[in-house]
Amino acid sequence: MSHCYRFDHFELRALERVLYIGGQPANLGARAIDLLLVLVERSGRMVSKSDLLDLVWPGLVVEENNLQVQISALRKVLGQQAISTIPGRGYRFALPMVRDDDSLPSRFTPMASSATDALTQSRPAENVLSVLPSVAGRLWGRDPDLAALHREAHHPLITIAGPGGIGKTAFALAAAHAWCREHRDGAAWVELAGITDPALVPTVVAQAVGLPSDGADPLSSLVAALRPLQLLLVIDNAEHLIDAVARMVQAITAAAPGVRLVVTSQLALKLDNERLFRLNALSVPEPGTALDQAMAHGAIALFADQAQAADRRFALTEANVEEVIALCHRLDGMALAIKLAAARLPLLGLQGVAARLDERFKLLRSQNSLAPPRRQTLMGTLDWSHDLLSPDEQTVFRRLCVFAGGFNLQLASAVAMDDSLDEWAVIELLGALVDRSLVAADGADVPRYRLLESMREFASLKLDTSGEHWLMKRRHVTTVAALMEQAYAAYWRTPDAAWLGTYGPEIDNVRAALDWVMAHEPSLAVDMVGASSPLFLLLGLAPECRRRCLAVESQVLAMPTCAPVARYWLERSRLNWGVSNTLMHDFARRAAEQSRALQDEVGRYLALRCMAGSGVLPPAQAKNLLEEMIGLEKPTWPPRLRLQRQLATVSVLRSGQQLEQAQRVCETLLSHSQANGLDAVVSAALADLAALSLAVGDPDAAVQHCSDIIARGRHRRDNFILHAMAIKATALFMQGDDEQARGALVDFAAASRSRDWEWFGLYSGLFALLAAIEGRHETAARLLGYADHAHQQLGSRDAQVGQAWERASSLVNAVLPLATTSRLACEGAQMAPDAVCHWALARVDV
């Protein structure tokens, strides 16, 4: 049986050791034929120079130039493209080849037990291509991602997708170095960033791998040359040539099963056999994370490494880690942005870099002139991505920048639509932007989308250039305003969890819209602040909403009687519960007057609830208001609305010291609110039950109710947790457990501080009591002055709070002269909450 290899118009007969050209023997010497047989039998694989010398000149010591002479002789006959040189490594036979019979090996084909096979197994790296760029440094923060990618390694095609600057290239390079020895023919790296002609893609890949490329049909030639190989082929930066890369990859995976492909791109190839691996930003710790824990996050570790490379004096410490965390948050954990920011440290310092992030596109520039232009600046990276978009994609992209904190599909459509882009067009374009990694989707059942901060800043620049800035901001405001009107109507008939799930994510959009209208159209803010008040309340952001209400008060006072004004005064009253009983009553009275004039029974009912529950009115007058509420109430009203009367009733009964009745009403309120999923009302009822338990002398029950509220507060931002902590401290004082009471007050102070000192004044007498019990009488006197001033602003004093104040006052007056306590009280009345905490929680008088 004749054993031969056919390639192009050549035929190499192994047994005869003759090369035929068009049926005629070629004029080649024995060494050239031996060399050709070694290369052909390893077609497509790199053979090292040392192995060629051992196989072609066995047992002889020859110079390497002998090998070069024979290679030249072969190329003269076969053509230059027939044998590829792997610089510094060896050679590869590169022509597509057909072998007629595999049953008769030549003397140059090693058997499984041969010495050559042993050499191959013991020195695999010498027979492996591995044409990979070197790794520039450690890959920080990507170990979990590399482990996840490794679990996908059995797939023939993996696309690593992510936005520009996220670190796809470095990540893919690290993976390639880790995987290259798993492939008989190693790994090859193909960089496409500099290629603009799609037709050149197969040729560029062939050149990178060292294979021939047929000018007439380069793709077929490439696929044929790859067919016998076992190779890892990495194609970097494919997004601008995505269709050409997809066609090539599909052909390779179909015809060359030994080739595994890894592609980096800003969007997927969308092939059936593709495994998409989304590379997300480097992890950034939450504010307040300790130094050692922060360093476990990729963004912080990368910044520290790059900062020390730029300035060896830099050290990440407990003193500056919080600032670095904040900086990395603002940079979205984007690897390129972090590197560019760290490089600015020697010139600007950490604070200077952070202060100039609002001008990030001027700040984040590389000093490395050898880097590709698009990687020298953050602007260059984003410009590259933006230029790949269609005009409609660019339009939607820039319009989406008006959203803050993300958006849903409905909001995106409402803002981005115009006469030429209907809702479905916007949906399709948004999908394209997600595919291109310019918009992030959270993967929830109902997806939420967002632009990373750098993307949003870039899109904002494009929006300014387009001349659409004012139009889009105004459209964003009207869209958010309409959403909040919908939210306000739904609030009264929807359980808290479902309502917050729908509207809670939009709080940053509400803030952005309110900021814009206050600066440009303040009259629109009155309606919006009233409609969004329940959102601020349920998110534990009442202090912020009070400030926003105050900012539009002058607008309201200039407006005639109307529904937005009536709602404004109603919501402002609700926002002042437990903060200022006097203001709560006064605002509710205005709301009642407006609602009566507008014949708005629901608005009037709610205003009466706030007036009756304010604690300002005499019990008899408050009960009259409750009777008026009964006359207005409709059985068809939703549960949240009807339960407002029970809330007011509990307050009125407590004020009149009808404690047992108040407890019964409160238990009914608790049952109904639990049955209807009204979490905030549940917490309010538990807080009232805790206070009532104290009032009837049952501190154990009070502690239990408070513990229930605190446990609930772990899963939701519930301001009633403040009541729970303070009432728990009061109960512990009653039980004589002063040390546990101190701990509860420490927790209360921290929670109140995080909520802009919400309800701090209401319970400030407890701090005076703590200092008095611990024998720090001068501090207690100061704190009594603060508490007295706070209660005057509140307009009334809860019975249990009053008892704490009186007990502390008694302890102080028993030790200090009246003149001293008066002087210290005057000093305390001027103190800020932070100072109160400092004095109260010190173990000795400061």
PDB file of all heavy atoms in Angstrom, residues 8 161 206 219 232 278 332 371 381 393 420 581 666 734 750 812 829:
ATOM      1  N   ASP A   8      -1.640  20.973  -2.071  1.00  0.00           N
ATOM      2  CA  ASP A   8      -1.570  21.803  -3.270  1.00  0.00           C
ATOM      3  C   ASP A   8      -1.373  20.864  -4.477  1.00  0.00           C
ATOM      4  O   ASP A   8      -2.123  19.905  -4.629  1.00  0.00           O
ATOM      5  CB  ASP A   8      -0.455  22.835  -3.125  1.00  0.00           C
ATOM      6  CG  ASP A   8      -0.668  24.022  -4.073  1.00  0.00           C
ATOM      7  OD1 ASP A   8      -1.648  23.996  -4.843  1.00  0.00           O
ATOM      8  OD2 ASP A   8       0.111  24.978  -4.030  1.00  0.00           O
ATOM      9  N   ALA A 161     -17.764  39.157  27.550  1.00  0.00           N
ATOM     10  CA  ALA A 161     -18.386  40.431  27.182  1.00  0.00           C
ATOM     11  C   ALA A 161     -18.411  41.375  28.372  1.00  0.00           C
ATOM     12  O   ALA A 161     -18.547  40.964  29.522  1.00  0.00           O
ATOM     13  CB  ALA A 161     -19.812  40.207  26.676  1.00  0.00           C
ATOM     14  N   ALA A 206      -4.957  34.212  10.551  1.00  0.00           N
ATOM     15  CA  ALA A 206      -3.968  33.294   9.987  1.00  0.00           C
ATOM     16  C   ALA A 206      -2.548  33.784  10.253  1.00  0.00           C
ATOM     17  O   ALA A 206      -1.666  33.002  10.631  1.00  0.00           O
ATOM     18  CB  ALA A 206      -4.208  33.135   8.483  1.00  0.00           C
ATOM     19  N   LEU A 219     -10.967  32.603   4.325  1.00  0.00           N
ATOM     20  CA  LEU A 219     -11.658  31.902   5.412  1.00  0.00           C
ATOM     21  C   LEU A 219     -11.557  30.396   5.246  1.00  0.00           C
ATOM     22  O   LEU A 219     -11.234  29.669   6.195  1.00  0.00           O
ATOM     23  CB  LEU A 219     -13.127  32.336   5.470  1.00  0.00           C
ATOM     24  CG  LEU A 219     -13.986  31.650   6.545  1.00  0.00           C
ATOM     25  CD1 LEU A 219     -13.378  31.837   7.927  1.00  0.00           C
ATOM     26  CD2 LEU A 219     -15.414  32.180   6.513  1.00  0.00           C
ATOM     27  N   LEU A 232      -5.815  26.726  21.411  1.00  0.00           N
ATOM     28  CA  LEU A 232      -6.637  27.760  22.041  1.00  0.00           C
ATOM     29  C   LEU A 232      -6.409  29.047  21.269  1.00  0.00           C
ATOM     30  O   LEU A 232      -5.292  29.555  21.196  1.00  0.00           O
ATOM     31  CB  LEU A 232      -6.232  27.958  23.509  1.00  0.00           C
ATOM     32  CG  LEU A 232      -6.919  29.129  24.234  1.00  0.00           C
ATOM     33  CD1 LEU A 232      -8.411  28.905  24.352  1.00  0.00           C
ATOM     34  CD2 LEU A 232      -6.296  29.351  25.605  1.00  0.00           C
ATOM     35  N   ARG A 278     -20.357  37.186  31.010  1.00  0.00           N
ATOM     36  CA  ARG A 278     -20.378  38.619  31.293  1.00  0.00           C
ATOM     37  C   ARG A 278     -19.350  38.949  32.370  1.00  0.00           C
ATOM     38  O   ARG A 278     -19.408  38.421  33.482  1.00  0.00           O
ATOM     39  CB  ARG A 278     -21.759  39.039  31.779  1.00  0.00           C
ATOM     40  CG  ARG A 278     -22.837  38.996  30.692  1.00  0.00           C
ATOM     41  CD  ARG A 278     -22.879  40.285  29.929  1.00  0.00           C
ATOM     42  NE  ARG A 278     -23.914  40.275  28.893  1.00  0.00           N
ATOM     43  CZ  ARG A 278     -23.961  41.145  27.908  1.00  0.00           C
ATOM     44  NH1 ARG A 278     -23.029  42.080  27.808  1.00  0.00           N
ATOM     45  NH2 ARG A 278     -24.923  41.090  27.012  1.00  0.00           N
ATOM     46  N   ASP A 332     -17.069  53.100  39.534  1.00  0.00           N
ATOM     47  CA  ASP A 332     -17.864  51.910  39.174  1.00  0.00           C
ATOM     48  C   ASP A 332     -17.052  50.619  39.206  1.00  0.00           C
ATOM     49  O   ASP A 332     -17.455  49.627  38.608  1.00  0.00           O
ATOM     50  CB  ASP A 332     -18.471  52.059  37.764  1.00  0.00           C
ATOM     51  CG  ASP A 332     -19.311  53.311  37.625  1.00  0.00           C
ATOM     52  OD1 ASP A 332     -20.222  53.489  38.440  1.00  0.00           O
ATOM     53  OD2 ASP A 332     -19.035  54.115  36.709  1.00  0.00           O
ATOM     54  N   ALA A 371       0.622  53.031  24.934  1.00  0.00           N
ATOM     55  CA  ALA A 371      -0.672  52.348  25.005  1.00  0.00           C
ATOM     56  C   ALA A 371      -1.507  52.718  23.789  1.00  0.00           C
ATOM     57  O   ALA A 371      -1.359  53.797  23.218  1.00  0.00           O
ATOM     58  CB  ALA A 371      -1.400  52.747  26.291  1.00  0.00           C
ATOM     59  N   THR A 381     -11.719  55.453  25.405  1.00  0.00           N
ATOM     60  CA  THR A 381     -12.363  54.148  25.514  1.00  0.00           C
ATOM     61  C   THR A 381     -13.848  54.246  25.218  1.00  0.00           C
ATOM     62  O   THR A 381     -14.410  53.436  24.474  1.00  0.00           O
ATOM     63  CB  THR A 381     -12.139  53.576  26.928  1.00  0.00           C
ATOM     64  OG1 THR A 381     -10.742  53.334  27.111  1.00  0.00           O
ATOM     65  CG2 THR A 381     -12.897  52.275  27.125  1.00  0.00           C
ATOM     66  N   GLU A 393     -29.212  54.085  18.087  1.00  0.00           N
ATOM     67  CA  GLU A 393     -28.641  53.600  19.352  1.00  0.00           C
ATOM     68  C   GLU A 393     -27.968  54.741  20.108  1.00  0.00           C
ATOM     69  O   GLU A 393     -28.078  54.845  21.337  1.00  0.00           O
ATOM     70  CB  GLU A 393     -27.647  52.474  19.078  1.00  0.00           C
ATOM     71  CG  GLU A 393     -28.301  51.175  18.653  1.00  0.00           C
ATOM     72  CD  GLU A 393     -27.313  50.144  18.151  1.00  0.00           C
ATOM     73  OE1 GLU A 393     -26.147  50.529  17.832  1.00  0.00           O
ATOM     74  OE2 GLU A 393     -27.679  48.959  18.060  1.00  0.00           O
ATOM     75  N   SER A 420     -40.007  59.431  15.637  1.00  0.00           N
ATOM     76  CA  SER A 420     -39.402  58.409  14.786  1.00  0.00           C
ATOM     77  C   SER A 420     -39.050  57.138  15.552  1.00  0.00           C
ATOM     78  O   SER A 420     -38.698  56.130  14.943  1.00  0.00           O
ATOM     79  CB  SER A 420     -38.129  58.961  14.131  1.00  0.00           C
ATOM     80  OG  SER A 420     -37.167  59.288  15.123  1.00  0.00           O
ATOM     81  N   ASN A 581     -45.165  68.218  67.310  1.00  0.00           N
ATOM     82  CA  ASN A 581     -46.611  68.029  67.400  1.00  0.00           C
ATOM     83  C   ASN A 581     -47.364  69.296  67.019  1.00  0.00           C
ATOM     84  O   ASN A 581     -48.445  69.241  66.436  1.00  0.00           O
ATOM     85  CB  ASN A 581     -46.993  67.602  68.813  1.00  0.00           C
ATOM     86  CG  ASN A 581     -46.493  66.193  69.128  1.00  0.00           C
ATOM     87  OD1 ASN A 581     -46.082  65.467  68.232  1.00  0.00           O
ATOM     88  ND2 ASN A 581     -46.525  65.824  70.390  1.00  0.00           N
ATOM     89  N   CYS A 666     -55.261  49.099  69.947  1.00  0.00           N
ATOM     90  CA  CYS A 666     -53.951  48.880  69.318  1.00  0.00           C
ATOM     91  C   CYS A 666     -53.775  47.420  68.897  1.00  0.00           C
ATOM     92  O   CYS A 666     -53.201  47.134  67.835  1.00  0.00           O
ATOM     93  CB  CYS A 666     -52.851  49.279  70.302  1.00  0.00           C
ATOM     94  SG  CYS A 666     -51.303  49.682  69.510  1.00  0.00           S
ATOM     95  N   MET A 734     -36.279  51.043  83.904  1.00  0.00           N
ATOM     96  CA  MET A 734     -37.309  50.670  84.880  1.00  0.00           C
ATOM     97  C   MET A 734     -36.955  49.368  85.584  1.00  0.00           C
ATOM     98  O   MET A 734     -37.250  49.177  86.770  1.00  0.00           O
ATOM     99  CB  MET A 734     -38.662  50.519  84.179  1.00  0.00           C
ATOM    100  CG  MET A 734     -39.294  51.830  83.748  1.00  0.00           C
ATOM    101  SD  MET A 734     -40.886  51.572  82.895  1.00  0.00           S
ATOM    102  CE  MET A 734     -41.880  50.907  84.240  1.00  0.00           C
ATOM    103  N   ALA A 750     -26.766  55.820  67.219  1.00  0.00           N
ATOM    104  CA  ALA A 750     -26.190  55.494  65.905  1.00  0.00           C
ATOM    105  C   ALA A 750     -27.273  55.457  64.831  1.00  0.00           C
ATOM    106  O   ALA A 750     -27.092  55.979  63.724  1.00  0.00           O
ATOM    107  CB  ALA A 750     -25.461  54.159  65.978  1.00  0.00           C
ATOM    108  N   VAL A 812     -30.321  65.209  89.648  1.00  0.00           N
ATOM    109  CA  VAL A 812     -29.399  66.340  89.474  1.00  0.00           C
ATOM    110  C   VAL A 812     -29.632  67.382  90.566  1.00  0.00           C
ATOM    111  O   VAL A 812     -28.677  67.887  91.193  1.00  0.00           O
ATOM    112  CB  VAL A 812     -29.562  66.961  88.079  1.00  0.00           C
ATOM    113  CG1 VAL A 812     -28.820  68.293  87.991  1.00  0.00           C
ATOM    114  CG2 VAL A 812     -29.052  66.003  87.011  1.00  0.00           C
ATOM    115  N   ALA A 829     -28.911  73.646  76.106  1.00  0.00           N
ATOM    116  CA  ALA A 829     -29.944  73.974  75.115  1.00  0.00           C
ATOM    117  C   ALA A 829     -29.341  74.355  73.775  1.00  0.00           C
ATOM    118  O   ALA A 829     -30.015  74.269  72.740  1.00  0.00           O
ATOM    119  CB  ALA A 829     -30.822  75.102  75.646  1.00  0.00           C
TER     120      ALA A 829
END
